[in-house]
Amino acid sequence: MESNAPSDHNTLHPMIGVVGLGTMGLGIVQLYLTAGFRVIATDANAPLLTTVPVRLMQALETRVQAGKMTNDQRDAALRRLRLVTQAQDMARAGLLIEAVAEDLDTKRRVMATLEGVLGTNAVLATNTSALSVAAVAEGLDRPANLLGLHFFNPAPAMKLVELIGHSATSETALTLARSVTEAAGKTVIAAPDRPGFIVNRCARPFYGEALAMLEEGMSAADIDAALIAAGYRIGPFALIDLIGADIHLAATAGLSAAMNGHPRYHVFDALRAQVARGDLGRKTGGRGFVGAALPPPANAAAIALRIEATLINEAASLLAEGGVTAAAIDTGLRLGMNFPRGPFEALKVHGLPRILAVLDALEAAAPAHLRGRYAASPALMAVA
């Protein structure tokens, strides 16, 4: 059963504020409520705000039915929530998390408004998955109080949270955000304020190299089956179908632009064509990249090795940029993507010579528009 942590309004258990009550925002509310914190929440969309009590009750009742909390714990959690309609009503929050639209101007506007309401020591957290945390902080009077807390969907279930400080974020703010979020049961890893942070950047080859093989003539079903056989819970194409090919395309294109079009982040025509056809996966009645699961092909091990080699190389590239550890990257990919092992753990399994041989062969065979995609990161030598 879930325990009720103290909910005193103090440094260790501040009141949590949440702005934006879509799926992610409501999940964040549920997370802190069930951990014993008092939560104050709002949304600019009044009709959406009115649905919160019913949506939250349904989510908590599911946990009751699963035996994960009692009726009394559910009712106590609901009593700890206060819904408000005005920004000034958020004034008592010690940690304020925004989960509004993934738009820089919108986030800046929300943060500027809230900064004028909250106490001088209150911590502001943006739940962005793609925007620069430093950019969100621009224009604030107290940028040292702002950081990133990147929750993964669904927030109550996914164990990982990325904690992102920008160059001016105070250690006090980082410590409070970490301690509160760990008290809510999450594994918190420090991530650099760079495009994609840790997980969304280092996971790109899982999809990208699968798309490269698709364009070379392999089938999506065979590629997925190969990854399943290698211990992955879901194949890359089934995961794209689950996320939505349109959403995946937007994320891929955004990271490609942020990384100046480097061929490691190439946006493959097969993905663009899938979106153009409107075959987006689950949201379009299952019309997507894959259908029924198939047995792994004869070359399954080689397919999985190719994808893991590119995952390892991407992780080494990020590691070389500094501000992150190999352990954090491995933890991020295991918990944020449900991978069976992190890229550096995979490197130890395969060995450096084998990974370098795969990357060298891929680079030698790469078409002109992908030249440089497989160049081995010098950091591989240091971590092998």
Side-chain angles (χ1 to χ4, degrees):
M1 297 295 179
E2 297 174 358
S3 64
N4 290 333
S7 58
D8 295 339
H9 184 55
N10 55 37
T11 302
L12 292 177
H13 291 89
M15 182 176 288
I16 309 298
V18 179
V19 177
L21 296 172
T23 300
M24 179 59 78
L26 190 71
I28 294 170
V29 168
Q30 178 186 332
L31 166 69
Y32 286 106
L33 285 177
T34 55
F37 290 89
R38 288 187 292 165
V39 178
I40 186 167
T42 191
D43 194 292
N45 182 343
L48 180 64
L49 186 61
T50 63
T51 69
V52 169
V54 171
R55 291 160 59 209
L56 187 58
M57 172 62 86
Q58 290 172 340
L60 294 180
E61 183 59 27
T62 298
R63 300 190 69 77
V64 171
Q65 296 301 318
K68 295 180 178 179
M69 68 188 314
T70 66
N71 288 322
D72 287 345
Q73 288 173 329
R74 176 201 61 205
D75 295 342
L78 291 169
R79 287 194 298 270
R80 287 192 288 270
L81 174 64
R82 181 185 172 206
L83 297 174
V84 300
T85 58
Q86 304 294 326
Q88 55 264 34
D89 293 330
M90 305 292 291
R92 294 188 62 199
L95 170 63
L96 190 290
I97 305 166
E98 66 77 13
V100 301
E102 191 76 339
D103 174 77
L104 182 58
D105 289 340
T106 301
K107 289 183 182 293
R108 281 176 171 169
R109 186 168 58 252
V110 167
M111 289 305 194
T113 298
L114 292 167
E115 185 186 45
V117 169
L118 297 173
T120 56
N121 295 323
V123 175
L124 294 162
T126 176
N127 177 51
T128 180
S129 61
L131 298 175
S132 161
V133 174
V136 176
E138 286 181 12
L140 292 180
D141 293 330
R142 299 186 294 275
N145 290 2
L146 185 131
L147 48 78
L149 276 178
H150 177 210
F151 294 83
F152 291 76
N153 196 29
M158 295 295 284
K159 293 292 293 181
L160 186 74
V161 176
E162 291 179 316
L163 172 65
I164 309 104
H166 60 93
S167 60
T169 304
S170 74
E171 285 300 321
T172 300
L174 290 167
T175 298
L176 183 141
R178 175 184 288 276
S179 62
V180 165
T181 305
E182 287 179 342
K186 297 304 180 185
T187 298
V188 179
I189 58 172
D193 188 18
R194 298 197 188 94
F197 308 134
I198 292 175
V199 175
N200 284 341
R201 173 167 166 183
C202 290
R204 300 329 294 174
F206 186 67
Y207 315 99
E209 204 54 28
L211 285 158
M213 288 186 275
L214 184 73
E215 290 194 354
E216 292 169 9
M218 296 187 197
S219 76
D222 278 350
I223 295 167
D224 271 18
L227 271 294
I228 296 296
Y232 291 80
R233 295 187 185 182
I234 187 171
F237 291 107
L239 188 51
I240 293 174
D241 287 348
L242 181 64
I243 295 167
D246 53 341
I247 294 172
H248 183 73
L249 174 60
T252 302
L255 187 58
S256 177
M259 301 302 285
N260 300 313
H262 191 287
R264 287 208 310 274
Y265 315 100
H266 179 71
V267 184
F268 286 90
D269 289 341
L271 178 60
R272 295 188 188 278
Q274 191 81 350
V275 174
R277 284 193 299 270
D279 294 339
L280 307 180
R282 185 176 62 171
K283 67 171 68 176
T284 53
R287 297 193 323 275
F289 280 108
V290 292
L294 296 178
N299 63 340
I303 292 172
L305 177 61
R306 175 171 171 176
I307 287 181
E308 289 202 327
T310 55
L311 286 167
I312 290 165
N313 199 39
E314 186 62 42
S317 174
L318 177 61
L319 186 67
E321 294 172 10
V324 66
T325 66
I329 292 173
D330 277 350
T331 298
L333 273 293
R334 278 190 284 102
L335 298 184
M337 290 292 295
N338 285 320
F339 283 179
R341 53 194 166 269
F344 296 113
E345 293 164 337
L347 177 60
K348 291 177 182 176
V349 170
H350 297 302
L352 179 61
R354 192 178 189 194
I355 295 304
L356 290 176
V358 171
L359 293 172
D360 288 346
L362 290 170
E363 182 64 22
H369 68 286
L370 294 181
R371 201 65 50 78
R373 176 180 176 85
Y374 306 103
S377 169
L380 280 173
M381 316 303 172
V383 296

